Amino acid sequence: MCSNLFVCERLWPFFSLGKNATPTVKKNFLRILKLLINFWIILLMFMSIAFVAGKPEAFSGGFSKFLLNFCLLSNSYNGAWWYLQTYVILVFLAPLLIKLIKKYNSISMLVISGIIYLASYVERIKHVLDLGDNTVVVMLVNTGVLVGTSQLAFVVGIIFAKEGSYSKLYNKFHNIRFKNILCLLGILMLVVMHAFYESMIIAPFTAITFICLFNLMNKSVFVQKLLTFLGNHSTNLWLTHMFFYMSIFPKLTFAPKYPILISLWLVLLCLLSSFVINAIYYPIIKIINKKTLMVGIQSDKTAESKISG
């Protein structure tokens, strides 16, 4: 089962399309609610930690700033949180995207998505539009730009499902000699290429290529278990890591002094915090799932009664 938020949740429309099922508003709402609960736990937990650690400035700005962050209208507390708002919007747009891509030519939809991506990217970097000092307008345009630069990954995932692109790729290459070595070389080339051409405009394309190459590789049972373990904590690692190396515990994080050790130490710190977060999160989700199941059963009984009546 796929558990990495960045990969699986971005490719969620991919699986929905393959099952020929249009996601319902209720399912989308529950999906977003569970993510927000996870986020709110982290927000409140690290606010408490910051005040205990004598770093209240990490959450400065008063109640209004807290409310903006709480409602995903700002990411001033943690820059890595910018994608939360974008993800929520994309999840609600997913049914429409799926419907359009199922109906129309894949190449045409990819071209349209690419144009939206390029236009959004130019505005994000160059700020072509003169938005003045209107905070609401600036916020709305910024939201649209972030969605525009992120929708391409969703669209490609849906098109992959519609056309069976990855299956074709897998059938063609999974039996070739030295597959793992060739895939590793391909990934290394992506890293080198990005080092020479640092613009983030190529990020979606390098990410898609990386995912395909990585998935083609044969992995030992140990590696699969390790990836599953990290995947189960990946959302928490994403939402917490900047608190450790930037705003609350930078001295602790950089104590090992050497880059590789710092990276491993950072991951360990985030993992430790993730266990605490999950200890709060899972009991809440268990209650929500139980209530959702009971509501679903009651709805089915009501529907059956109407039919029989």
Side-chain angles (χ1 to χ4, degrees), residues 71-306:
C71 297
L72 308 186
L73 297 176
S74 173
N75 61 329
S76 62
Y77 291 164
N78 190 317
W81 290 353
W82 73 267
Y83 185 66
L84 277 166
Q85 182 195 78
T86 302
Y87 172 74
V88 169
I89 294 171
L90 286 172
V91 167
F92 286 118
L93 286 177
L96 175 62
L97 292 174
I98 292 172
K99 184 177 180 180
L100 290 172
I101 292 170
K102 287 176 71 175
K103 184 176 180 180
Y104 297 106
N105 178 271
S106 296
I107 299 298
S108 300
M109 296 305 299
L110 186 60
V111 170
I112 293 171
S113 178
I115 291 171
I116 293 172
Y117 171 75
L118 289 174
S120 301
Y121 178 83
V122 170
E123 174 59 27
R124 183 177 181 181
I125 302 301
K126 300 294 184 180
H127 303 290
V128 177
L129 299 177
D130 183 7
L131 304 176
D133 297 325
N134 192 311
T135 304
V136 175
V137 173
V138 171
M139 187 179 295
L140 289 173
V141 171
N142 184 59
T143 297
V145 165
L146 292 176
V147 171
T149 54
S150 301
Q151 50 78 37
L152 184 60
F154 267 66
V155 170
V156 170
I158 302 168
I159 290 174
F160 262 54
K162 177 184 176 181
E163 305 295 339
S165 302
Y166 182 74
S167 296
K168 294 174 183 176
L169 188 68
Y170 179 82
N171 291 334
K172 188 172 183 178
F173 292 107
H174 80 283
N175 281 328
I176 64 172
R177 295 182 63 190
F178 310 114
K179 182 179 64 177
N180 277 20
I181 295 175
L182 292 173
C183 288
L184 281 173
L185 287 174
I187 291 172
L188 180 61
M189 287 177 63
L190 290 175
V191 173
V192 172
M193 180 179 69
H194 217 341
F196 281 99
Y197 188 74
E198 298 180 357
S199 174
M200 65 180 181
I201 194 171
I202 64 171
F205 310 102
T206 54
I208 291 165
T209 307
F210 175 89
I211 290 171
C212 289
L213 290 172
F214 186 77
N215 283 338
L216 281 171
M217 295 173 64
N218 295 326
K219 304 169 190 69
S220 67
V221 174
F222 171 77
V223 171
Q224 292 182 48
K225 288 182 177 180
L226 177 62
L227 292 174
T228 300
F229 170 76
L230 293 174
N232 289 333
H233 294 277
S234 61
T235 299
N236 291 334
L237 266 64
W238 158 42
L239 294 174
T240 62
H241 71 282
M242 286 188 71
F243 287 131
F244 287 102
Y245 80 82
M246 183 170 288
S247 57
I248 302 179
F249 300 115
K251 290 184 179 179
L252 175 65
T253 304
F254 290 97
K257 296 184 180 180
Y258 299 100
I260 294 178
L261 295 179
I262 291 170
S263 298
L264 293 173
W265 178 230
L266 174 60
V267 170
L268 179 60
L269 290 172
C270 292
L271 280 173
L272 292 174
S273 70
S274 181
F275 282 109
V276 178
I277 294 162
N278 286 344
I280 304 170
Y281 173 75
Y282 283 123
I284 297 173
I285 297 304
K286 188 175 181 180
I287 294 171
I288 292 174
N289 287 339
K290 185 177 180 179
K291 288 186 176 181
T292 303
L293 179 62
M294 294 301 295
V295 170
I297 293 172
Q298 187 61 44
S299 298
D300 291 341
K301 287 182 178 179
T302 303
E304 289 175 4
S305 298
K306 288 182 179 179

Side-chain angles (χ1 to χ4, degrees), residues 8-22:
C8 291
E9 295 294 346
R10 280 192 172 198
L11 296 182
W12 159 66
F14 180 112
F15 300 116
S16 299
L17 181 63
K19 294 177 180 178
N20 196 29
T22 302

